[in-house]
Amino acid sequence: VEDRVTLGITGMTCAACATRVEKNLSKLEGVKQAAVNLASEKATVTFDPNKVSLDQLIEKVEKTGYGVREEK
Ligand code: 9UX
């Protein structure tokens, strides 16, 4: 099982911010891929919903120090 979600990320001001978000999301068990686009302020995350929840993804981004919300 695999889900994909797009998150809007605020507060990233340099390329290393995007890398930080990607790395921290990727550390979560169940995250298969995390790709962050600095210019569009979006992250696309592919994950196994049986191992990690959307709420946990959001919490991870917040703890990394950025604003986040699910994009519809
Ligand atoms: Mo760049 Mo982002 O110097 O947290 S890493 S602003």
Side-chain angles (χ1 to χ4, degrees):
V1 187
E2 201 171 279
D3 276 359
R4 188 168 64 183
V5 69
T6 301
L7 303 174
I9 313 276
T10 56
M12 298 187 296
T13 53
C14 87
C17 292
T19 303
R20 288 183 67 213
V21 173
E22 281 179 356
K23 287 211 167 128
N24 280 295
L25 282 170
S26 299
K27 274 186 209 160
L28 288 171
E29 166 102 40
V31 171
K32 190 170 185 188
Q33 209 220 346
V36 177
N37 186 302
L38 176 63
S40 65
E41 298 191 295
K42 288 187 200 328
T44 304
V45 187
T46 307
F47 64 102
D48 180 346
N50 294 311
K51 291 184 178 167
V52 65
S53 68
L54 174 59
D55 281 354
Q56 285 175 296
L57 301 178
I58 287 171
E59 184 178 289
K60 178 60 87 174
V61 176
E62 286 172 344
K63 285 188 171 166
T64 306
Y66 304 96
V68 56
R69 66 174 193 131
E70 186 182 1
E71 290 279 311
K72 296 293 179 187

